[in-house]
Amino acid sequence: MKTIKNTMKAFFLLIVSVMISKCSPSSDTVSPTPTNPTPVTVTNEVDFWLTKGNQSSMLQKQTGVLAFNTTYNTYPNITVDEAQTFQTVDGFGYTLTGGSAQAINQLNASKRKELLEELFGTSSTSISISYLRLSIGASDLNATAFTYDDMPVGQTDLNLTNFSLAPDKTDLIPMLKEIIAINPAIKIMAVPWSPPVWMKDNGSFIGGSLQPQYYSVYAKYFVKYIEKMKEEGITIDAITPQNEPLHPGNNPSLLMLAAQQADFIKNHLGPAFKAVNSKVKIVVYDHNCDKPEYPIAILNDSGANSYVDGSAFHLYAGDISALSTVHNAFPNKNVYFTEQYTSSSGSFDGDLKWHVKNVIIGSMRNWSKIALEWNLANNSSFGPHTQGGCDSCKGALTINSSESFSRNVAYYIIAHASKFIPDGSIRIASNTVGNLNNVAFKTTAGKKVLVLENDGTTNEIFNIKYNGKWIATSLDAGAVATYIW
C-alpha cells in the first residue's frame, strides 16, 4: 500500500513539473512589463537662413533643429574661433543713386514707406541695411549729369556762391531723411563722379582732368557739400575724392592719377578739412582691384598719408586679395569695398554665387569694413541713367509700378549679411574647407554669425565647430546660408 502511495506521489510531482515547464518561458528570467521611454527634447541652438540658386528658397529661415553636440562623424569641420579677431564692420548696403531715389519715388506713399522699412528697419521682415554710398552731384545713374555748382560756359565761381543742393532736393535728400528717421545710425560715404566742368581741362562732364588752379576751390566744394548736407540733417561719415579715377569714359567721369590725388589730398583737401575740424574720413582710390599700386602710392606719400583713413575698391578687374595687399602694406589704414554691379544679362544663380563669394565673403576676409553692391533700385528699363551711362546695371530692386516692386539678386546678396551683422560687429576666425567659402563675425550682442557659400557642384555635408562642439549640416551646390547662434 505504501508503495502505491509513493508511486502516485511521484506521478503527481511529475505532472506538476510538466505543467510548469509548459507554462514558463525557457529563460530563467522574467521579462519586465514594457514602459514608454521618456522622449529626449532637442532644443534648436542655431538659426539657419537659406537662399538657393534655383530660387526655391529666398532668404528663408529653416525649420530644422540644429544643436551642438560631440557625436563623432567624419564630415569636414568649419571651426569658428572668436579668440582670433580682425576688423570691425561698418556695414553692408548699396549706392543710393539719384536714379534709385527717383525710381523708388514712383511707388505710392504707403508702398514706399513699407519698402523703406523693409530695407532699413530692424523688424523680423527687414534686412537692416546699415551703410549707403551717395554721389556728390550726379552719377551715371542719374537722369542727367550735373554738379552742385554748374555755371554757363566760360564762367567760373571761385567763391562757390552758386553752390546748391537743389538738384537733389526733389528725390534723393527727402528720401535720405526718411531713411535716417528709420535708422539714425546709418553710415554714409559720398563720392563725386565729376567736379564742376568749369574746373576741368576739357570743359566736359566726360573725362578730362581737374586743373591744378582749382584744387583749393574744389577742396572747399567738398567742405561746403558736407556742411550743406549737415544742415539737411544728413551726416557724411566718409568721402572719396573721385569715383573710378582711372575710368574717364563714363558720363560723368574724371581722370585723376595717383600723383594728382596725392597732391589734392596733401595740399588742399586734407588742410581744408583740418581748417574746419572736420571728422569726415578721406578714403582714396575707389576703383578696381587690379591697381593696388594706386592707393599704395598715395599712402607712401607721408604728407597725404596723415590725412587718409583708408582705401576703397571695386572688382570689375583684379582679385579681391588686393585689399589684403594694401592692408598688409599699411595695417593702420582701413580698406572698404564700395561697388559691384549685377548685370541685366546675369543669371540669379551665377550672380548669387560670385557676389557672395567675392563681395561679401571675399572682401570681409581681406579686411574690408564694408561691402556694398551698386545701385539700390532702377525702373523696368534699367533707368534712369545719363546718356552714355550704364544701361545694363540691375538694381537690388526693380520698381515696376506705383504699387509693385521686385527683389533682384543683389537684394539677397546683401541681405544675407546686413540682416544679421550690424555695425560694430567684429570679424572672427573661420577656416575655409574645400568649396565652402565662409566668413564669421561676433555681433555687439555677442551672437556668432557665419555666412557660407557652396561654390561646388554637389550638396556638401559639413560640421560647424565652436567651443569644442559641433553641428552637422548641409548646403546645396550654389546655395548661400547664414547661421546664427
Side-chain angles (χ1 to χ4, degrees):
M1 188 70 174
K2 185 177 180 181
T3 302
I4 293 171
K5 285 183 178 180
N6 288 338
T7 301
M8 290 179 66
K9 183 178 180 181
F11 180 76
F12 177 78
L13 292 172
L14 178 63
I15 294 296
V16 171
S17 176
V18 170
M19 290 177 67
I20 290 173
S21 68
K22 287 183 177 291
C23 294
S24 299
S26 58
S27 170
D28 291 336
T29 59
V30 179
S31 297
T33 303
T35 58
N36 292 324
T38 303
V40 178
T41 303
V42 179
T43 303
N44 184 62
E45 295 180 297
V46 181
D47 288 336
F48 169 24
W49 296 73
L50 177 67
T51 298
K52 293 185 178 182
N54 64 9
Q55 303 181 60
S56 61
S57 180
M58 306 280 274
L59 194 67
Q60 288 182 351
K61 188 176 182 181
Q62 304 302 290
T63 57
V65 174
L66 294 175
F68 285 101
N69 63 78
T70 56
T71 304
Y72 175 78
N73 63 54
T74 58
Y75 306 133
N77 292 325
I78 295 172
T79 301
V80 176
D81 181 7
E82 66 180 304
Q84 294 185 62
T85 59
F86 302 91
Q87 77 274 23
T88 302
V89 174
D90 279 353
F92 300 88
Y94 306 90
T95 299
L96 181 65
T97 61
S100 294
Q102 187 178 337
I104 292 170
N105 276 342
Q106 292 176 26
L107 296 170
N108 63 46
S110 62
K111 199 71 177 176
R112 185 178 68 250
K113 185 177 189 300
E114 175 188 316
L115 174 58
L116 293 179
E117 287 285 352
E118 177 183 328
L119 295 173
F120 301 99
T122 56
S123 72
S124 60
T125 56
S126 299
I127 64 168
S128 305
I129 294 166
S130 50
Y131 206 101
L132 286 175
R133 183 169 174 249
L134 308 177
S135 61
I136 300 175
S139 74
D140 60 309
L141 294 191
N142 277 81
T144 59
F146 63 85
T147 73
Y148 298 129
D149 200 338
D150 293 327
M151 298 295 293
V153 175
Q155 296 185 31
T156 62
D157 182 20
L158 301 182
N159 294 319
L160 301 178
T161 54
N162 189 51
F163 185 99
S164 174
L165 298 176
D168 276 329
K169 286 191 173 181
T170 301
D171 292 303
L172 181 73
I173 288 173
M175 184 166 294
L176 280 169
K177 292 179 180 180
E178 288 183 78
I179 290 167
I180 291 166
I182 295 168
N183 178 8
I186 196 162
K187 284 188 166 68
I188 298 171
M189 176 183 283
V191 52
W193 265 239
S194 174
V197 299
W198 52 266
M199 299 184 187
K200 300 171 75 173
D201 59 9
N202 69 346
S204 170
F205 278 109
I206 302 172
S209 295
L210 181 66
Q211 297 185 73
Q213 67 263 34
Y214 296 119
Y215 278 17
S216 289
V217 68
Y218 194 39
K220 292 173 185 173
Y221 178 93
F222 280 86
V223 171
K224 198 146 194 173
Y225 168 76
I226 291 163
E227 290 173 344
K228 292 295 184 184
M229 290 293 272
K230 188 70 174 178
E231 289 174 11
E232 297 289 338
I234 300 163
T235 299
I236 303 300
D237 184 68
I239 61 95
T240 70
Q242 176 59 38
N243 173 70
E244 298 191 343
L246 300 179
H247 175 37
N250 201 0
N251 182 20
S253 60
L254 177 81
L255 177 67
M256 181 180 268
L257 302 177
Q260 294 171 320
Q261 192 162 119
D263 179 9
F264 178 60
I265 293 168
K266 173 173 61 177
N267 297 312
H268 306 278
L269 186 63
F273 278 21
K274 186 176 181 180
V276 295
N277 295 312
S278 176
K279 299 293 187 274
V280 177
K281 304 176 182 77
I282 298 174
V283 179
V284 303
Y285 189 43
D286 211 1
H287 207 172
N288 288 330
C289 288
D290 61 338
K291 301 288 185 184
E293 61 269 22
Y294 186 115
I296 286 172
I298 297 172
L299 292 169
N300 274 330
D301 185 317
S302 58
N305 180 296
S306 63
Y307 294 113
V308 173
D309 171 85
S311 310
F313 297 86
H314 309 172
L315 190 55
Y316 304 114
D319 188 86
I320 195 67
S321 61
L323 279 68
S324 281
T325 299
V326 177
H327 167 82
N328 293 339
F330 294 92
N332 64 326
K333 299 296 184 181
N334 293 313
V335 292
Y336 300 84
F337 190 90
T338 50
E339 181 187 315
Q340 198 70 22
Y341 93 118
T342 49
S343 172
S344 59
S345 61
S347 65
F348 186 97
D349 57 346
D351 284 343
L352 181 71
K353 283 178 59 172
W354 191 93
H355 284 249
V356 172
K357 176 183 177 180
N358 289 283
V359 174
I360 304 298
I361 296 169
S363 76
M364 290 289 137
R365 290 189 78 94
N366 286 281
W367 296 94
S368 186
K369 292 179 71 67
I370 64 174
L372 308 182
E373 286 282 303
W374 175 213
N375 54 315
L376 178 59
N378 51 240
N379 62 32
S380 56
S381 301
F382 303 103
H385 58 77
T386 61
Q387 185 174 358
C390 184
D391 59 4
S392 61
C393 289
K394 180 169 61 179
L397 304 163
T398 299
I399 309 303
N400 302 309
S401 70
S402 64
E403 297 182 346
S404 168
F405 64 87
S406 305
R407 300 169 187 84
N408 301 323
V409 65
Y411 174 97
Y412 298 96
I413 292 162
I414 291 297
H416 263 279
S418 62
K419 186 174 177 70
F420 312 105
I421 307 162
D423 173 19
S425 299
I426 297 173
R427 180 168 73 90
I428 58 178
S430 64
N431 60 300
T432 300
V433 175
N435 295 310
L436 300 173
N437 297 299
N438 66 83
V439 64
F441 302 87
K442 183 178 181 179
T443 72
T444 51
K447 293 279 191 181
K448 269 61 67 180
V449 182
L450 182 72
V451 181
L452 193 148
E453 177 258 343
N454 181 355
D455 211 45
T457 57
T458 59
N459 178 280
E460 300 212 16
I461 306 173
F462 56 95
N463 296 320
I464 298 173
K465 189 173 182 180
Y466 172 73
N467 274 359
K469 295 184 177 183
W470 52 87
I471 60 165
T473 185
S474 67
L475 194 61
D476 284 350
V480 172
T482 303
Y483 298 87
I484 311 103
W485 67 94

